[in-house]
Amino acid sequence: MKGGVVVWLCAALLLAQDAVAKGPAASAAGDESSGWVLRREGSSSYACKCYPGDSCWPNHAKWRKLNATVGGNLKVNIPPGAPCYNSFEGPLGEVNTYDEAECDRVTSNWHNEQFQIELPAASLWTYFTNDTCRPTTNPSDTCTLGYYPVLAIIAKTAGHIQAGINFARENNLRLVVRNTGHDFLGRSVGWGALVINTHNFQDIKFTGQHRSACSYRGSAVTVGAGVQAFEVLTQANALSPPKIMVTGECATVGVAGGLVQGGGHGPLTNFYGFLADTALQFKVITADGVLRTANAKTNPELFWALRGGGPAAFGVIVEATYKTFDDKLSSGVHLDIDTSHTTNATLFWEAVRIFHGYSTHFVDNGLYVYYELGTTGQNLHVHPFVGIGKTPAELQAVLQPMWDDFAELGITYTTSSANYSTFYDLFNAMFETEMAGNSALTGGWSIGRRDVEDSHPAIMDAFQTIVGAGSFMIGHMWSAGHGLPRSEWGSSAVNPRFRTVVDKLITVVPLAGNAPLADKAAAQDKLTNVVDAALRNAAPNGCAYINEADPYEPNWQHAFWGTNYPALLRIRQKYDPNGVFYAVSTPGTEKWEQIETGTRLCRKL
């Protein structure tokens, strides 16, 4: 970007209140003196958060004071692709942004997750940004903010987070909490919002003998809100003996925020349950701006809710303490079946049936299985089968019945295997790097043990329906109740049904975020009422996982939390009665909607 940008950023902060003409038409009727803006859409009335263009939007003196309070770390948010455009047309003004060298850098790194993570307010998957301002070779194209936040606090202390929460609450602004931007449901972005970026909280502290409020005595790690899985796993592996902790399958996901608040499943879930099941304590800032300790004895109901009760629902986690475990030798196997092996669709689906029919067998024998189905049409891509604590011979023995069934039907495939001295080494070698910058609608459902045992043909019909609809699936075979004592199943707020799940699926409907509204509506309908409906009907003993699901999942309260929902709703009403925090389809958001084509966040009156 050219030299005038810095001056513009400062001017935008000072003159934010002058952006009235830039925002949507200010409400002609509304009690904006109270911070609520009254709107109507269709036959409904709403009280909305305050946005640029509303007279309640904070004036320059308030923004200056906030900027001083957060140590000058309040930034005007500019979409990452802006250097490829002649100008960025933001809600606080217009600025010349073209910079050829910077455009080349952004373009070459667009699909790099870590590049996107290090930005103030980028979302790794762009559908819910409205796919605005992507890198382009035509600088005269239009670059707007889309649904990205307007301003960002690059928080470096707990006080900065507190100041941001207090400012949003006192001025009734939409607040977004963002660490890495790992998010399929659009929670890391929000039109007209103030974002608190927690990625700078990078402390990692190990202890060999943690004494917790829940009587745990053992090794543990305390991580700051911005720590990513690969960072803590690398340091844990360097200990003697090497340690491991439950993380997601993706190495770049943060481990102290939305992951644990959604539950947090990964390759170690068969042994230790969800990440939420291993949590020992949180330092968390609630909607009143108070920094609290939450553990089994101090604020125990908040501690329970933070362990799987919903991301961005109960507070901003500043740091989290988790159990760690001794790492073990591990073995892995890759499997591919695609059109290079057979073009016979019937035979291919027989191979899928055999593979998936062994899901209960795999998890009962301690395996974790990560697979993709239908990404290129007729393909099954299992990368990998993971045997933690197993030798190659032991892993192959678990897989042998599947190999035998393949051989009996004449199914050919490609496979490879490897063994490692630790799971950490397998994790780095056998899991594939994920990509950022793509646009799609995502949904998902999980399959219960009883569903596999009683109605597997219906599950196979659902899989074919999904692939036939031009969608694809990502599967994670594990059992969150396999290695975790039954007495601990209720210690976290994750849906009790997950204890008998054997396969958790992500469904994907590819679509550009800037597609016409009619196309978006059709894609959402297909996701909810065709793709995911097929899985719900075939697997009635399953449930949905809040971090990887359709944001408009029908009966989401039950689908995401089951019998835990009433308690979560009560806790949410206690700690955030006015809706300072918001994430779609989380406890207490029943009356909240994003109206006016998904822009204004409002409470239905």
Side-chain angles (χ1 to χ4, degrees), residues 173-511:
L173 306 181
R174 179 168 182 181
L175 182 64
V176 169
V177 182
R178 190 263 191 196
N179 172 22
T180 65
H182 268 278
D183 173 34
F184 293 119
L185 281 73
R187 300 180 311 229
S188 294
V189 296
W191 181 83
L194 171 68
V195 64
I196 298 175
N197 182 303
T198 64
H199 193 57
N200 281 291
F201 290 74
Q202 290 288 326
D203 288 347
I204 302 175
K205 301 174 185 176
F206 291 95
T207 180
Q209 283 298 317
H210 179 85
R211 299 176 65 86
S212 78
C214 60
S215 301
Y216 173 76
R217 303 291 183 268
S219 61
V221 62
T222 299
V223 294
V227 173
Q228 295 169 255
F230 75 89
E231 295 169 318
V232 67
L233 292 178
T234 298
Q235 292 194 28
N237 179 256
L239 299 173
S240 183
K243 295 289 185 180
I244 200 73
M245 66 172 286
V246 176
T247 68
E249 169 274 330
C250 180
T252 58
V253 72
V255 295
L259 179 67
V260 68
Q261 291 177 83
H265 66 88
L268 297 177
T269 291
N270 260 341
F271 293 90
Y272 310 114
F274 286 90
L275 176 61
D277 295 317
T278 72
L280 299 171
Q281 179 170 286
F282 299 106
K283 294 293 181 66
V284 58
I285 302 173
T286 46
D288 55 5
V290 176
L291 176 63
R292 303 177 190 273
T293 296
N295 57 42
K297 291 186 178 179
T298 303
N299 298 307
E301 62 180 6
L302 178 60
F303 179 56
W304 178 78
L306 289 168
R307 302 170 73 186
F314 302 96
V316 180
I317 294 174
V318 178
E319 70 173 33
T321 301
Y322 300 108
K323 298 175 184 178
T324 59
F325 310 94
D326 290 339
D327 206 345
K328 301 176 181 179
L329 64 87
S330 299
S331 299
V333 169
H334 285 162
L335 167 67
D336 284 284
I337 304 175
D338 53 40
T339 52
S340 69
H341 304 101
T342 180
T343 58
N344 183 324
T346 300
L347 187 62
F348 171 77
W349 282 106
E350 276 296 290
V352 174
R353 179 190 62 78
I354 291 169
F355 159 73
H356 198 271
Y358 280 105
S359 54
T360 57
H361 170 74
F362 295 150
V363 300
D364 287 347
N365 283 275
L367 301 195
Y368 172 85
V369 185
Y370 181 88
Y371 69 96
E372 298 172 355
L373 177 64
T375 51
T376 57
Q378 186 175 297
N379 76 302
L380 173 63
H381 181 70
V382 187
H383 279 232
F385 295 93
V386 178
I388 298 172
K390 294 189 184 301
T391 65
E394 290 171 332
L395 175 56
Q396 289 292 350
V398 176
L399 299 178
Q400 193 59 50
M402 179 183 69
W403 302 139
D404 292 344
D405 285 354
F406 283 169
E408 184 176 346
L409 287 181
I411 296 167
T412 59
Y413 51 87
T414 299
T415 186
S416 62
S417 62
N419 64 290
Y420 302 88
S421 60
T422 63
F423 167 73
Y424 172 79
D425 293 323
L426 182 150
F427 184 72
N428 286 326
M430 297 197 78
F431 283 88
E432 297 171 319
T433 301
E434 296 188 8
M435 305 291 285
N438 295 317
S439 179
L441 272 172
T442 57
W445 191 252
S446 61
I447 298 172
R449 173 181 297 273
R450 185 173 174 182
D451 298 318
V452 175
E453 294 172 344
D454 295 348
S455 56
H456 199 248
I459 295 171
M460 290 299 96
D461 288 344
F463 282 14
Q464 293 190 58
T465 294
I466 293 166
V467 175
S471 303
F472 63 91
M473 295 173 291
I474 301 168
H476 314 73
M477 292 181 186
W478 43 250
S479 171
H482 177 74
L484 189 71
R486 184 178 289 268
S487 61
E488 298 181 26
W489 285 8
S491 63
S492 67
V494 296
N495 194 328
R497 283 197 170 198
F498 272 122
R499 303 306 176 183
T500 57
V501 159
V502 296
D503 190 7
K504 195 215 72 66
L505 293 162
I506 301 172
T507 54
V508 183
V509 177
L511 183 71

Side-chain angles (χ1 to χ4, degrees), residues 9-319:
L9 295 178
C10 295
L13 284 174
L14 295 176
L15 300 176
Q17 80 282 11
D18 293 334
V20 172
K22 287 286 183 181
S27 175
D31 185 13
E32 295 191 24
S33 62
S34 69
W36 292 100
V37 180
L38 302 184
R39 309 289 283 200
R40 284 191 64 82
E41 184 166 273
S43 60
S44 300
S45 296
Y46 297 87
C48 303
K49 298 278 189 177
C50 188
Y51 290 99
D54 298 329
S55 62
C56 56
W57 182 255
N59 60 33
H60 72 277
K62 290 183 177 181
W63 286 114
R64 289 181 64 182
K65 183 177 180 181
L66 175 62
N67 192 35
T69 303
V70 298
N73 289 300
L74 178 65
K75 310 295 182 184
V76 173
N77 186 38
I78 297 179
C84 297
Y85 296 77
N86 290 330
S87 63
F88 162 58
E89 301 173 11
L92 305 182
E94 184 174 334
V95 61
N96 295 329
T97 52
Y98 185 73
D99 185 321
E100 183 177 2
E102 185 64 13
C103 176
D104 290 343
R105 188 179 79 91
V106 170
T107 301
S108 62
N109 285 286
W110 187 253
H111 294 291
N112 182 300
E113 282 194 337
Q114 199 59 35
F115 171 78
Q116 297 276 7
I117 285 167
E118 299 297 335
L119 297 172
S123 182
L124 268 62
W125 298 277
T126 60
Y127 180 83
F128 287 102
T129 70
N130 206 35
D131 239 2
T132 184
C133 204
R134 294 175 69 91
T136 181
T137 57
N138 182 7
S140 63
D141 285 347
T142 300
C143 172
T144 64
L145 193 60
Y147 292 170
Y148 281 114
V150 176
L151 296 124
I153 296 172
I154 312 302
K156 298 179 180 178
T157 69
H160 294 168
I161 297 174
Q162 289 173 302
I165 292 173
N166 290 337
F167 191 84
R169 184 187 66 250
E170 292 163 2
N171 293 281
N172 202 25
L173 306 181
R174 179 168 182 181
L175 182 64
V176 169
V177 182
R178 190 263 191 196
N179 172 22
T180 65
H182 268 278
D183 173 34
F184 293 119
L185 281 73
R187 300 180 311 229
S188 294
V189 296
W191 181 83
L194 171 68
V195 64
I196 298 175
N197 182 303
T198 64
H199 193 57
N200 281 291
F201 290 74
Q202 290 288 326
D203 288 347
I204 302 175
K205 301 174 185 176
F206 291 95
T207 180
Q209 283 298 317
H210 179 85
R211 299 176 65 86
S212 78
C214 60
S215 301
Y216 173 76
R217 303 291 183 268
S219 61
V221 62
T222 299
V223 294
V227 173
Q228 295 169 255
F230 75 89
E231 295 169 318
V232 67
L233 292 178
T234 298
Q235 292 194 28
N237 179 256
L239 299 173
S240 183
K243 295 289 185 180
I244 200 73
M245 66 172 286
V246 176
T247 68
E249 169 274 330
C250 180
T252 58
V253 72
V255 295
L259 179 67
V260 68
Q261 291 177 83
H265 66 88
L268 297 177
T269 291
N270 260 341
F271 293 90
Y272 310 114
F274 286 90
L275 176 61
D277 295 317
T278 72
L280 299 171
Q281 179 170 286
F282 299 106
K283 294 293 181 66
V284 58
I285 302 173
T286 46
D288 55 5
V290 176
L291 176 63
R292 303 177 190 273
T293 296
N295 57 42
K297 291 186 178 179
T298 303
N299 298 307
E301 62 180 6
L302 178 60
F303 179 56
W304 178 78
L306 289 168
R307 302 170 73 186
F314 302 96
V316 180
I317 294 174
V318 178
E319 70 173 33

